[in-house]
Amino acid sequence: MFFCDYPIIRNEKELPLYLLNMGQHHCQDHIIRTEGYPSPQILYCTKGSGTLILDGKRIPIPPFTAIFLPAFYPHEYYAEEDIWDIHWVVPAGFASEDILKHFGLIAPAVYEISGINKLEHIFRKMHEAIRSDSVFGNYRASGYLYDFLIEFYHLITSKGTVGTPNSALIKAIDHINFNYASHITMNDLCNASGVTAQYLCKLFRDTLDTRPMEYIAKRRIQAAKELLTGSDKTVEEIAEACGFCSASYFCKLFKRYEGISPSRFIRS
């Protein structure tokens, strides 16, 4: 299969993120870009194998391998077999650089990925939107692009298998979600996740940009907001139901994270 979508860009260029182009090659040509490509690219392989050359190094690209290439970064790639199925997506927009940076897509990188059915589904949705709707298709594709980047980030940061860092993080978060109304210690989280406190703190910091105890507080605030807007409970009752040691401490943390008091939140 081969296609290459180059949408006619109109007012989409005013969006913070939009799709510049995308496509799929059944057997990728030998690409040599001594000055790189003028926009960042995300590529991934589903069949066959090829070779990527970066900084003079030859990197094998087998199936279920993804590549990120920043704008204007010299590179070269070519197929090693008759079939080398490569998909590519090129994002643009005034916020695209910040969004890619948020997802850790800054320097050239190669990733092993698995479970790409959802990514493929979103990829097809972008393609279908562009081909089926000449008026609003580009806008719809831009919306799918954001989903694509989130799923891509999920795939390159989580393999979802037992023993991986993300498995430990997910176990800790699951423990918090089921027990936030009770007293939770760092030792509880370590027992639930099977890793040390130091390592668990690193996982929270690197993945969620927060500390475990702070995440627990935010989870309790999240539950409290639901009760404040969907029940007749008093502030004191909500504080107790969400695991806070006192109503005053609950109000203090609520104002710290939300900028207003619980009672004002109810009225807003």
Side-chain angles (χ1 to χ4, degrees):
M1 182 176 182
F2 165 79
F3 69 84
C4 189
D5 293 333
Y6 285 93
I8 298 173
I9 306 300
R10 300 181 296 271
N11 292 336
E12 300 94 302
K13 63 183 179 182
E14 299 175 4
L15 295 173
L17 181 71
Y18 65 89
L19 181 67
L20 191 62
N21 69 76
M22 64 177 294
Q24 176 182 353
H25 272 295
H26 186 62
C27 186
Q28 178 64 57
D29 297 331
H30 191 148
I31 299 296
I32 302 175
R33 297 190 175 111
T34 57
E35 297 182 358
Y37 191 76
S39 299
Q41 304 173 81
I42 293 173
L43 308 94
Y44 63 97
C45 170
T46 58
K47 295 178 182 177
S49 63
T51 295
L52 170 69
I53 301 178
L54 285 176
D55 302 319
K57 298 179 180 179
R58 297 178 183 272
I59 305 169
I61 307 296
F64 307 111
T65 302
I67 305 167
F68 174 70
L69 295 171
F72 300 108
Y73 200 96
H75 61 271
E76 179 179 349
Y77 53 85
Y78 53 86
E80 294 285 4
E81 303 180 37
D82 291 337
I83 295 177
W84 190 35
D85 203 5
I86 285 288
H87 302 55
W88 76 88
V89 170
V90 180
F94 64 83
S96 61
E97 183 177 349
D98 288 338
I99 292 172
L100 292 174
K101 184 178 179 180
H102 177 82
F103 292 141
L105 300 173
I106 303 171
V110 176
Y111 309 94
E112 293 182 17
I113 57 175
S114 60
I116 66 170
N117 288 344
K118 186 174 180 179
L119 190 74
E120 281 278 79
H121 178 71
I122 301 169
F123 183 87
R124 297 294 167 202
K125 284 288 188 181
M126 288 192 290
H127 172 60
E128 292 167 5
I130 292 170
R131 293 297 178 96
S132 64
D133 188 343
S134 59
V135 178
F136 296 107
N138 295 355
Y139 285 100
R140 299 186 192 282
S142 296
Y144 291 131
L145 175 59
Y146 199 89
D147 290 340
F148 179 91
L149 292 176
I150 293 172
E151 180 60 18
F152 185 77
Y153 176 64
H154 168 72
L155 290 176
I156 65 176
T157 56
S158 172
K159 295 187 179 181
T161 56
V162 176
T164 64
N166 288 80
S167 174
L169 180 64
I170 290 170
K171 288 177 180 178
I173 291 174
D174 284 344
H175 183 84
I176 293 169
N177 286 335
F178 283 110
N179 299 282
Y180 66 84
S182 305
H183 180 63
I184 301 175
T185 66
M186 194 67 199
N187 192 50
D188 293 333
L189 295 181
C190 291
N191 289 336
S193 61
V195 297
T196 65
Q198 182 179 7
Y199 190 56
L200 188 60
C201 287
K202 184 179 186 302
L203 290 180
F204 270 86
R205 183 177 65 252
D206 292 348
T207 308
L208 301 172
D209 194 28
T210 190
R211 300 182 302 277
M213 293 299 110
E214 185 177 13
Y215 185 89
I216 293 172
K218 290 180 178 179
R219 179 63 182 91
R220 288 170 174 161
I221 292 292
Q222 180 189 45
K225 288 165 70 175
E226 294 175 2
L227 290 176
L228 286 168
T229 56
S231 76
D232 295 327
K233 291 181 180 292
T234 65
V235 169
E236 290 75 15
E237 290 171 334
I238 290 174
E240 182 179 358
C242 295
F244 292 99
C245 59
S246 67
S248 60
Y249 183 63
F250 163 55
C251 292
K252 179 182 178 180
L253 280 188
F254 194 95
K255 190 167 185 178
R256 177 192 300 175
Y257 291 123
E258 300 299 320
I260 57 176
S261 66
S263 56
R264 187 174 175 185
F265 178 82
I266 297 173
R267 297 193 299 268
S268 62

